[in-house]
Amino acid sequence: MTVSLPVVPAAAPAPAALPPLPGESVPGPVWPASARVLPSGGLAVGGVALAELADRFGTPCYVVDEDEVRARARAWRAALPDGRVAYAGKAFLTRAMIRWVREEGLWLDVCSAGELELAAHAGFPVERVILHGNAKSPDDLRTALRLGVGRVVIDSTGEIARLAALVPPGTRQRVLVRVVPGVEAGAHRAVRTGVDGQKFGLSLDGGEAADAVARVLGQPRLELMGLHCHLGSQIASVDPYTAAVRRLVPFLSALRDLHGLTFPELDLGGGFAIAYRDGEEALDPGEYARRVSAELALRCAHADLPVPRLTVEPGRWIAGPAGVALYRVLAVKSSGGRTFVAVDGGMSDNPRPALYGVRYTVRLAGRASVLPARPVTVVGRHCEAGDVLAEDVELPGDIRPGDVLAVPASGAYHLSMASAYNLVGRPPVAAVAGGRARLLVRRETSADLWSREVTV
């Protein structure tokens, strides 16, 4: 697949902000806004040639454009100036990322004691952290209370008494109740979490959500701030979110009538789509804010309810387009009428094609080619037939071992889901900005992997 980008010198500064994304569902940017084609035909991001990064840090390697991360965080803050934006750390979490979202004024959404402690050690204000999880361990809950987490999202009725029992006397822990609004959305059945029959949340239709609210209100050490829901992932339309509002506001009204209380917060989660290939749709924060805020205000007015403060949790939308994965070609061969390009990474550093069938863009990053493109399948190095990174993508006819390939939209769920399969260490992470690069996370070595063994 060819990429139409302007040719500029390698040291050209990255744009300070994203261009506006008009309309509800628009073709999203596959590459970071700073991406440029160099006179050599190679590609640069953040003012740094990707081939130079491959030589400096080795491959596979994750590259993150700091300016892109910050611009995307600002896009959500600008769209919801009176709301709350919590970065979903499960998408991509390092000390540097924590610092960036802190400096941009975001909250942070975590799913474990490990993510929470990293945030605390990196200096993030823990009172601005939301702890999720359908099965929080005792360590998760104790850590949250010890550090003073801002919100705990209740995901089951049994969790209520367990959490309340751990809260120190004379204090209260603020919580949200995660409900299932019965809205189906998401790009794959494995990531649709807004309907009954999956592991997350408490059903509105089945009565579990109402029961959980009553139980929380009966615990003097818990302070119920409102409701939470999450519909799924890779949602490109605003329609499912407005549908969720239409289900949740009547529930809030019924709770008011039953308990005589209103709640100040409504968290609609995240799941906002990005583009992985040219022409795919991405959700626009401005359109989301306009339509969802209007729907919420209208429904609350009809129900004579105060409008709760809206919280959103973008993770992939902020981190995904800011990341580029780099690989080096190891082999090219034909079989059964297909051409396979094998690289030095694979499902250990990106399991998402195998899990969800995600299709990526791939580009030759280190040189130009005058030969026409041909369809190839980019595969990994692991001992699995399903270790396929990108199927039927267009690459030059002279692709050869040693070439550097770049895969954009790789900033989310790559590092966080990486494994040590075949004892191949996880890749390093490098940040780029303003023509400079620095290492954020070093490559995992064989010594790192062996160090966990305790006997010979």
Side-chain angles (χ1 to χ4, degrees), residues 1 17 59 71 81 139 144-145 220 245 250 279 289 302 338 344 355 413 429 440 447:
M1 176 175 291
T59 53
D139 185 51
L145 295 171
V245 170
H302 287 171
R338 302 172 67 189
D344 54 1
L355 287 174
Y413 301 108
V429 181
L440 300 184

Side-chain angles (χ1 to χ4, degrees), residues 49-59 61 63 326-328 404 443:
L50 294 181
E52 293 179 9
L53 295 173
D55 290 340
R56 177 177 171 185
F57 299 114
T59 53
C61 178
V63 177
L326 301 181
Y327 301 95
R328 201 172 292 275
V404 175
R443 186 179 303 280

Side-chain angles (χ1 to χ4, degrees), residues 61-423:
C61 178
Y62 305 123
V63 177
V64 180
D65 185 331
E66 178 183 346
D67 290 337
E68 183 84 8
V69 168
R70 291 182 180 275
R72 289 181 162 268
R74 291 169 193 162
W76 276 104
R77 289 270 288 164
L80 290 168
D82 299 321
R84 178 178 294 146
V85 181
Y87 170 69
K90 65 178 181 176
F92 174 85
L93 203 65
T94 66
R95 291 176 183 272
M97 188 67 165
I98 292 167
R99 177 172 63 83
W100 298 340
V101 297
R102 182 192 73 224
E103 291 174 352
E104 296 302 331
L106 273 59
W107 279 47
L108 182 64
D109 154 23
V110 301
C111 299
S112 70
E115 291 180 350
L116 177 56
E117 293 210 68
L118 178 63
H121 289 164
F124 197 90
V126 183
E127 65 275 12
R128 282 169 35 197
V129 174
I130 303 169
L131 174 66
H132 285 277
N134 71 296
K136 302 177 193 69
S137 71
D139 185 51
D140 292 333
L141 296 177
R142 283 193 292 265
T143 301
L145 295 171
R146 172 173 56 84
L147 294 176
V149 74
R151 304 287 185 276
V152 175
V153 179
I154 299 294
D155 203 282
S156 66
T157 53
E159 185 177 78
I160 298 168
R162 288 197 299 271
L163 174 61
L166 294 173
V167 177
T171 64
R172 302 183 79 192
Q173 173 60 52
R174 291 180 168 180
V175 300
L176 302 168
V177 170
R178 178 165 177 171
V179 303
V180 180
V183 176
E184 185 170 0
H188 189 280
R189 63 178 180 82
V191 295
R192 294 171 189 159
T193 56
V195 292
D196 291 332
Q198 44 77 41
K199 72 177 188 177
F200 289 105
L202 295 145
S203 174
L204 284 184
D205 294 335
E208 291 87 355
D211 179 50
V213 168
R215 288 173 184 248
V216 171
L217 293 176
Q219 294 285 352
R221 296 185 186 180
L222 301 181
E223 181 180 2
L224 182 58
M225 302 301 294
L227 303 180
H228 179 284
C229 78
H230 182 77
L231 303 181
S233 295
Q234 271 297 93
I235 302 170
S237 171
V238 180
D239 291 343
Y241 298 100
T242 57
V245 170
R246 290 193 292 272
R247 292 298 314 277
L248 294 174
V249 171
F251 183 57
L252 288 171
S253 178
L255 294 176
R256 187 263 319 272
D257 296 343
L258 182 62
H259 300 290
L261 297 170
T262 59
F263 303 104
E265 298 178 9
L266 178 62
D267 189 329
L268 292 183
F272 311 125
I274 65 170
Y276 285 96
R277 291 163 66 92
D278 290 340
E280 291 183 349
E281 295 178 331
L283 189 137
D284 171 46
E287 184 68 12
Y288 174 96
R290 183 185 66 80
R291 289 187 53 197
V292 171
S293 297
E295 189 73 34
L296 183 59
L298 175 65
R299 300 294 168 176
C300 287
H302 287 171
D304 194 25
L305 284 172
V307 179
R309 185 180 190 184
L310 182 63
T311 298
V312 295
E313 299 172 355
R316 178 202 319 264
W317 199 95
I318 291 175
V324 177
L326 301 181
Y327 301 95
R328 201 172 292 275
V329 176
L330 298 180
V332 179
K333 67 180 180 181
S334 296
S335 177
R338 302 172 67 189
T339 299
F340 294 90
V341 176
V343 298
D344 54 1
M347 64 190 304
S348 65
D349 58 78
N350 182 10
R352 300 185 66 252
L355 287 174
Y356 308 134
V358 179
R359 301 188 68 191
Y360 285 85
T361 299
V362 182
R363 187 186 190 280
L364 180 62
R367 64 178 177 88
S369 174
V370 297
L371 294 186
R374 57 174 175 168
V376 304
T377 296
V378 179
V379 297
R381 59 173 294 181
H382 297 288
C383 293
E384 298 283 345
D387 182 19
V388 176
L389 285 173
E391 196 164 6
D392 293 329
V393 294
E394 297 283 328
L395 286 175
D398 62 348
I399 195 78
R400 56 183 180 260
D403 280 336
V404 175
L405 301 183
V407 180
S410 295
Y413 301 108
H414 287 226
L415 176 69
S416 60
M417 298 179 75
S419 73
Y421 183 46
N422 292 154
L423 291 184

Side-chain angles (χ1 to χ4, degrees), residues 3-36:
V3 179
S4 298
L5 296 168
V7 177
V8 300
L18 289 174
L21 297 177
E24 175 188 340
S25 296
V26 298
V30 174
W31 297 90
S34 67
R36 299 290 185 269

